[in-house]
Amino acid sequence: GAGVSQSPSNKVTEKGKDVELRCDPISGHTALYWYRQSLGQGLEFLIYFQGNSAPDKSGLPSDRFSAERTGGSVSTLTIQRTQQEDSAVYLCASSRGLDADTQYFGPGTRLTVL
Amino acid sequence: AQSVTQLGSHVSVSEGALVLLRCNYSSSVPPYLFWYVQYPNQGLQLLLKYTTGATLVKGINGFEAEFKKSETSFHLTKPSAHMSDAAEYFCAVIGQGSQGNLIFGKGTKLSVKP
């Protein structure tokens, strides 16, 4: 079946602009995660959605970052007023939501802030 | 809080040689442990995971890892390296009872020489 998809695959933006990154999880997966991968910080957890529960936003680095998940499926990560340090690959993953279930990762969105 | 340490950011082996990638974890609760592989310009793919039961875990592509509680280790091995194994490998941990987000090590880039 189809895996996790993310769009766009690449995004170049200017400092100060807002960007939206999209994630389509595997159908039927109730858990959805966003991670960020950068040279300096490695792989960092950003935010976690599980079903209809309130999301775990504990990994968001600042209030410029937000995410939503509509209808328990597609998720959008929004970065407002982008900064150069936001340049990274943003990875989305989904799982069935059970304890220690395998997380399946999308190919990522490479964000470059000029 | 959980954490993961991967010893060696770069490991180089000859084709046919043993592959050993080291991972030590810190967790205040029994951990779930994972190894993911990332090929260039691709997302993360699960190699194997330990949840409960047998401490020697076999994964895809001939890789295996052994959970050693006394050493807080989960080293990844493969008896004979293949050129196609060249990639970056990430060890990750989830604490039991946590929200399920992965805590990753910094990664080890494996090079395979012909």
Side-chain angles (χ1 to χ4, degrees), chain B residues 37-100:
Chain B
V37 61
Q38 187 175 34
Y39 298 102
N41 299 315
Q42 294 188 27
L44 295 161
Q45 179 183 7
L46 181 72
L47 275 177
L48 49 81
K49 67 179 179 182
Y50 168 78
T51 54
T52 58
T55 56
L56 182 62
V57 181
K58 294 186 184 298
I60 62 172
N61 302 338
F63 284 93
E64 62 183 35
E66 186 171 11
F67 170 60
K68 292 187 176 181
K69 184 178 178 181
S70 61
E71 299 177 8
T72 61
S73 69
F74 191 57
H75 302 329
L76 181 71
T77 60
K78 182 174 180 177
S80 177
H82 193 272
M83 297 295 291
S84 60
D85 295 327
E88 190 156 19
Y89 293 79
F90 293 91
C91 183
V93 65
I94 295 176
Q96 287 192 26
S98 78
Q99 290 279 48

Side-chain angles (χ1 to χ4, degrees), chain A residues 44-57:
Chain A
E44 306 171 275
F45 162 73
L46 296 177
I47 189 169
Y48 161 60
F49 296 89
Q50 170 58 53
N52 296 321
S53 303
D56 173 6
K57 305 178 183 180

Side-chain angles (χ1 to χ4, degrees), chain A residues 35-88:
Chain A
Y35 295 88
R36 179 170 70 173
Q37 185 174 26
S38 58
L39 282 175
Q41 301 299 320
L43 275 156
E44 306 171 275
F45 162 73
L46 296 177
I47 189 169
Y48 161 60
F49 296 89
Q50 170 58 53
N52 296 321
S53 303
D56 173 6
K57 305 178 183 180
S58 60
L60 294 178
S62 79
D63 58 8
R64 296 185 296 104
F65 288 72
S66 63
E68 63 177 18
R69 188 176 184 191
T70 53
S73 182
V74 171
S75 177
T76 302
L77 177 69
T78 301
I79 309 173
Q80 295 179 310
R81 305 181 303 281
T82 52
Q83 304 294 313
Q84 287 184 332
E85 60 263 28
D86 299 335
S87 295

